[in-house]
Amino acid sequence: MGRWICCLCSRIADSLMLLLVLALSCNPSRAATASPSAPHIKPSYNFGRTFLGLDKCNACIGTSICKKFFKEEIRFDTWLSSRLKLPPSYLLSYSGNYTDDAKSWRLVDITRLTSKYRHDRADKRICTSLLKTKTCSLERALRRTQRFQKWLRAKRLTPDLVQGLSSPMLRCPSQRLLDRIVRRYAEVPDAGSIYMDHLTDRDKLRLLYTLSVNSHPILLQIFPNVEGWPFPRYLGSCGRLVVSASTRPLRDFYGAAPEVAADLALQLLAVLRSMGTNDLNYFFYFTHVDAGTFGVFSNGHLFIRDASTLGIIDKEEGSQLIDGQQEYKDIFSCLTVDCQSAFVSCNSIREKHSLVMVCQELLPRLLKGKFLQPVQEKIDSFLQRCAKGLADDQGVNEAVAELAEILKPLRSCDSRFAYRYPDCKYSDKY
């Protein structure tokens, strides 16, 4: 019996081998795949110091996230491509992908504080105005300036050290705000101190340069998202590129469904309210708004996407520079703007300032023609009054409450609004 079973197994094995040989002979391509494959070469970005702006350091923003770029843990939107290529360097912003474990990726925004053209013009201005040459070491030139020499000697960041800088955030500075900048500056190890002892000369130059060019990344650092402030999360900087959590600009939602438009308008009003009334007693105001100022996360939550045009008035301490002192100007005042630009007086800012700008520029495009009558007529009438500056006897809070009452019944509660769903099902707030 055992001999018979062995014989049967042998015949079956011979038959299977014959079938395999026939199959391979009929399909040569299959046979070819059996040979060892060539080793797979992982595509890689060819990063240059120029693209990142590292060749300009320490006249740059920082280096806290450079390792992520060079380890390809930050990739541009072509990261799934078989041939990874860097996008054009003249763009102002890029869509990217960020990972901590090389497995899960999340979207990020990679931005320049100003266009490469403006950066190049500013670099040339530094060399020609300070050293009278077409090219130079930017760091060496800026270190020689009177302002930076004062920064080197200073133990604390005081209003006189930032006077004349073009950033709206610093036009009406208080000591309390400047202390917050030093204490929360994320490009250096956290010392939690209001004194600049933990900042090296290099750190001081980077901080001064960032404040001179665009205060957007500083605002993200000192008023972080995790504490409830309406800004995207700051992830770090490399050279002259800033990396933050990704949002879609509000302009992408101008054609959204009525319930989505109503929800975003209500969130916009809530952000404006928080800018005027918050626990820290800072009053935020815009000097300019456009379709890219606000952005929306994938969960439907609206945030301030571009904080570069935000000014801050300290309602607790007030401004510690009188308007006449703001007229002081030097090379740091002119890195991204015309040196002849006039400053807005701190005393001229009104509480309704930002709401009027939003009523003029954003809400009409978001809400126009979205709803049935008579609701649409009520919305249009309010926006017209608001755009003209509101009535003198109507405060901002009353105006915001009036529009909110019209919009609240128009929004819906479903999974499209993940930031408040399913909470809205069980709350009268929604």
Side-chain angles (χ1 to χ4, degrees):
M1 181 71 177
R3 188 178 298 173
W4 180 80
I5 291 174
C6 286
C7 231
L8 180 62
C9 291
S10 178
R11 288 183 181 179
I12 291 173
D14 291 342
S15 300
L16 289 173
M17 184 62 70
L18 178 62
L19 288 172
L20 179 61
V21 171
L22 288 172
L24 289 175
S25 63
C26 292
N27 192 347
S29 63
R30 290 278 180 88
T33 59
S35 61
S37 58
H40 177 68
I41 300 175
K42 181 184 176 183
S44 178
Y45 285 120
N46 182 23
F47 270 117
R49 292 169 58 83
T50 303
F51 181 86
L52 295 170
L54 281 171
D55 58 324
K56 308 294 186 180
C57 282
N58 290 303
C60 63
I61 311 164
T63 56
S64 61
I65 209 165
C66 287
K67 286 183 179 179
K68 286 279 186 183
F69 277 103
F70 289 108
K71 290 168 64 178
E72 292 185 24
E73 293 175 347
I74 295 177
R75 298 180 177 181
F76 293 87
D77 57 3
T78 55
W79 72 279
L80 288 177
S81 169
S82 59
R83 294 183 178 180
L84 297 177
K85 293 182 179 179
L86 289 172
S89 60
Y90 58 79
L91 296 178
L92 191 59
S93 63
Y94 312 90
S95 177
N97 297 270
Y98 176 101
T99 185
D100 287 318
D101 55 14
K103 296 177 182 177
S104 58
W105 295 81
R106 63 180 186 269
L107 290 174
V108 292
D109 289 332
I110 304 169
T111 56
R112 300 183 188 278
L113 296 191
T114 188
S115 67
K116 190 174 186 302
Y117 170 73
R118 282 192 173 184
H119 266 312
D120 291 343
R121 281 187 62 189
D123 294 344
K124 189 175 295 185
R125 189 183 297 126
I126 291 170
C127 292
T128 54
S129 64
L130 297 180
L131 298 182
K132 312 302 181 186
T133 59
K134 291 184 178 180
T135 59
C136 68
S137 165
L138 299 177
E139 180 174 356
R140 190 178 305 132
L142 293 176
R143 277 177 172 271
R144 293 180 180 181
T145 60
Q146 182 180 0
R147 186 191 294 265
F148 187 65
Q149 288 301 312
K150 287 177 67 178
W151 272 62
L152 289 179
R153 296 190 297 269
K155 291 291 185 181
R156 192 173 183 183
L157 185 60
T158 51
D160 62 296
L161 296 178
V162 298
Q163 66 175 314
L165 297 185
S166 62
S167 167
M169 182 181 76
L170 299 173
R171 288 181 188 174
C172 313
S174 69
Q175 188 59 59
R176 187 168 70 114
L177 176 64
L178 298 179
D179 287 344
R180 189 176 182 87
I181 291 174
V182 172
R183 196 170 62 247
R184 295 189 167 216
Y185 182 41
E187 287 298 311
V188 298
D190 181 19
S193 172
I194 62 173
Y195 297 101
M196 295 197 289
D197 297 335
H198 63 293
L199 300 183
T200 64
D201 294 358
R202 176 200 65 192
D203 298 328
K204 289 181 178 180
L205 181 57
R206 291 178 181 177
L207 177 57
L208 173 56
Y209 180 84
T210 307
L211 291 172
S212 304
V213 175
N214 187 327
S215 58
H216 169 78
I218 302 299
L219 273 159
L220 268 56
Q221 293 168 43
I222 66 176
F223 298 108
N225 170 273
V226 293
E227 293 180 5
W229 297 96
F231 302 108
R233 182 185 173 193
Y234 177 79
L235 296 170
S237 301
C238 184
R240 289 180 170 178
L241 292 180
V242 179
V243 183
S244 59
S246 176
T247 58
R248 289 176 60 192
L250 188 62
R251 70 171 68 90
D252 290 359
F253 296 86
Y254 283 167
E259 60 272 20
V260 174
D263 183 82
L264 292 175
L266 280 165
Q267 289 192 70
L268 190 49
L269 295 177
V271 168
L272 293 181
R273 190 184 301 113
S274 70
M275 290 169 58
T277 306
N278 51 73
D279 293 341
L280 293 185
N281 241 358
Y282 288 115
F283 170 61
F284 297 79
Y285 66 92
F286 284 104
T287 58
H288 170 78
V289 295
D290 58 36
T293 301
F294 295 89
V296 183
F297 282 129
S298 58
N299 65 356
H301 208 169
L302 180 137
F303 281 77
I304 297 173
R305 188 172 192 256
D306 179 5
S308 63
T309 61
L310 268 182
I312 302 177
I313 294 176
D314 192 334
K315 294 196 292 185
E316 190 171 298
E317 286 190 3
S319 171
Q320 299 199 12
L321 278 183
I322 61 175
D323 289 334
Q325 289 178 287
Q326 293 179 332
E327 297 305 319
Y328 172 85
K329 291 178 181 178
D330 62 359
I331 189 65
F332 289 100
S333 311
C334 314
L335 291 183
T336 56
V337 296
D338 181 1
C339 281
Q340 305 306 315
S341 300
F343 287 115
V344 176
S345 169
C346 298
N347 296 326
S348 67
I349 307 300
R350 297 291 177 264
E351 190 178 0
K352 63 183 179 182
H353 186 86
S354 296
L355 178 62
V356 171
M357 294 178 71
V358 167
C359 287
Q360 291 172 341
E361 302 294 332
L362 303 181
L363 289 178
R365 292 174 173 82
L366 185 63
L367 300 175
K368 184 178 180 180
K370 289 288 173 68
F371 309 101
L372 299 175
Q373 300 298 355
V375 172
Q376 187 68 54
E377 186 178 353
K378 289 181 180 179
I379 293 173
D380 294 343
S381 174
F382 173 87
L383 293 180
Q384 288 173 8
R385 284 190 292 115
C386 178
K388 292 177 181 178
L390 299 170
D392 291 337
D393 58 348
Q394 185 178 26
V396 172
N397 290 334
E398 290 83 356
V400 168
E402 180 183 340
L403 182 56
E405 283 304 309
I406 302 173
L407 293 172
K408 279 180 182 177
L410 303 176
R411 62 179 178 174
S412 62
C413 178
D414 58 62
S415 57
R416 286 176 297 173
F417 311 102
Y419 79 96
R420 59 180 173 89
Y421 181 84
D423 294 349
C424 54
K425 276 189 172 184
Y426 312 104
S427 173
D428 295 335
K429 178 183 175 184
Y430 298 100

